[in-house]
Amino acid sequence: MKALNDCYTLSNGIQIPCLGFGTYNAKGGDNLAINRMAIEAGYRYFDTASLYETERVLGQAVRESGIARKDFFIVSKLWIDERGYQEAKDAFERSLERLRMDYLDLYLIHWPRGKEGDTDWKEKDLDTWRALEELYKSGRVRGIGLSNFLPHHVDPILKNCHVTPVVDQLEIHPGYTQEAAVRYCSENDIRVQAWSPLGRSAMLEHPVLKSFADKYEKSVAQICLRFLLQKGIIPLVKSSSMERMKQNQDIFDFEISWEDMSVINNMPQNTWLGEHPDFAVPRKKSNPEQ
């Protein structure tokens, strides 16, 4: 990967940019300006979800950009209470309506299970996946995949699917590299994407990463993103300033040595900074119709 919109080829043959722009936790008028700014900064891969309530403003920013829809890579996700065969199909239609688009590049199941004690999550995920397979075969989505699915969540789908997942989004950053999950995905030709690639900013003051930032004359954030890029993982970055948006792209002109990559890989592991798909009760959407 040599530039922002250089692409990997997913298992079904479609091209996906090596760096994405995430829209989580930013909605309304300010987010419209942020999305416009991100497009101006050169981002073409945008990640949204029904949970984020950012689909409408993202769609507006894309339309107003004057850039052809085919030049963007747009991903959305269905939420926990949208799992199920018909529920997933309905959720997909709502997402397209909010985006005002007629297809998606990727559509993902956002979360594998509900609250702890959700005993029928495997059946619900399989029903959901069957709906996504039909949407994929219809041509209205170019690829289907998963988010926050650990190996034991992915396995039932792989054992029963006709169309395999092409991606899995996981919390991955220095200090939380999820080696077992990444290895499992690699063995099954599933491209891993990293949400919270900076560890929700918790890694920015880490002394090991700061020492490498000094060594390579880069920021700690750029070290985190380059680390993931060299592992073949797609970071999903966020920023509200043009300066940071540009800095997050400035990771293609240096290479972290094998030795330094090993040091980062073996940093003491911290805990999952977001909600864990097996042990946390995820928050509900504030407005299902947003």
Side-chain angles (χ1 to χ4, degrees):
M1 300 296 112
K2 302 294 184 182
L4 170 65
N5 290 305
D6 282 358
C7 292
Y8 297 106
T9 301
L10 296 179
S11 61
N12 69 343
I14 70 170
Q15 301 282 297
I16 184 171
C18 64
L19 191 66
F21 192 86
T23 64
Y24 172 68
N25 207 25
K27 53 191 175 184
D30 289 344
N31 193 47
L32 177 58
I34 290 169
N35 283 320
R36 287 169 171 163
M37 193 186 307
I39 294 171
E40 182 183 348
Y43 291 94
R44 296 295 180 266
Y45 171 8
F46 287 84
D47 179 83
T48 185
S50 64
L51 176 70
Y52 301 167
E53 300 177 7
T54 56
E55 292 171 312
R56 293 188 190 279
V57 288
L58 174 58
Q60 182 178 348
V62 168
R63 290 192 303 277
E64 293 177 352
S65 71
I67 299 169
R69 166 66 182 90
K70 66 180 179 60
D71 294 328
F72 287 93
F73 194 94
I74 306 297
V75 182
S76 194
K77 303 182 276 289
L78 62 88
W79 189 230
I80 296 169
D81 55 4
E82 295 172 320
R83 291 179 306 150
Y85 176 76
Q86 190 59 48
E87 292 89 341
K89 287 196 166 186
D90 293 344
F92 179 79
E93 297 298 338
R94 290 193 296 268
S95 285
L96 285 186
E97 181 179 357
R98 289 187 290 260
L99 286 159
R100 288 177 58 185
M101 295 177 182
D102 55 11
Y103 74 96
L104 287 174
D105 295 283
L106 282 181
Y107 195 48
L108 315 180
I109 305 176
H110 201 157
W111 203 266
R113 59 187 298 172
K115 63 183 180 180
E116 193 173 358
D118 178 7
T119 58
D120 66 344
W121 62 269
K122 292 181 184 178
E123 292 77 11
K124 185 67 71 75
D125 287 350
L126 289 174
D127 286 343
T128 307
W129 192 254
R130 184 163 54 93
L132 266 60
E133 288 182 326
E134 292 184 9
L135 292 169
Y136 174 71
K137 291 174 182 177
S138 76
R140 301 183 68 205
V141 59
R142 299 175 63 225
I144 53 178
L146 308 167
S147 178
N148 298 295
F149 276 61
L150 299 175
H152 56 284
H153 304 130
V154 182
D155 195 58
I157 290 177
L158 290 182
K159 288 179 176 176
N160 292 277
C161 66
H162 298 286
V163 179
T164 57
V166 293
V167 302
D168 191 8
Q169 292 185 0
L170 296 167
E171 178 184 339
I172 299 177
H173 48 78
Y176 201 72
T177 54
Q178 298 227 57
E179 293 298 319
V182 171
R183 187 180 311 112
Y184 176 92
C185 287
S186 178
E187 290 169 352
N188 289 283
D189 208 7
I190 299 170
R191 177 67 61 176
V192 175
Q193 302 170 309
W195 61 261
S196 194
L198 309 182
R200 296 194 174 182
S201 300
M203 295 294 104
L204 297 184
E205 296 301 319
H206 196 287
V208 169
L209 299 176
K210 289 176 76 172
S211 71
F212 288 145
D214 291 339
K215 175 179 179 178
Y216 291 97
E217 298 182 338
K218 292 290 183 177
S219 69
V220 173
Q222 289 167 331
I223 294 295
C224 291
L225 297 176
R226 180 69 198 186
F227 167 72
L228 294 170
L229 190 72
Q230 287 184 213
K231 289 169 70 72
I233 295 170
I234 299 173
L236 301 174
V237 299
K238 292 194 305 176
S239 179
S240 58
S241 76
M242 178 64 80
E243 181 183 8
R244 289 289 178 86
M245 289 178 187
K246 290 289 191 181
Q247 285 180 356
N248 288 338
Q249 301 174 26
D250 190 19
I251 59 174
F252 299 97
D253 61 350
F254 76 108
E255 184 172 349
I256 301 173
S257 72
W258 178 90
E259 181 179 355
D260 293 343
M261 286 289 290
S262 180
V263 171
I264 300 172
N265 261 321
N266 289 284
M267 284 171 51
Q269 296 290 288
N270 54 33
T271 58
W272 195 291
L273 297 176
E275 295 166 324
H276 192 285
D278 281 319
F279 307 116
V281 179
R283 67 185 180 89
K284 295 181 178 180
K285 294 169 62 179
S286 60
N287 182 351
E289 297 308 314
Q290 284 289 321

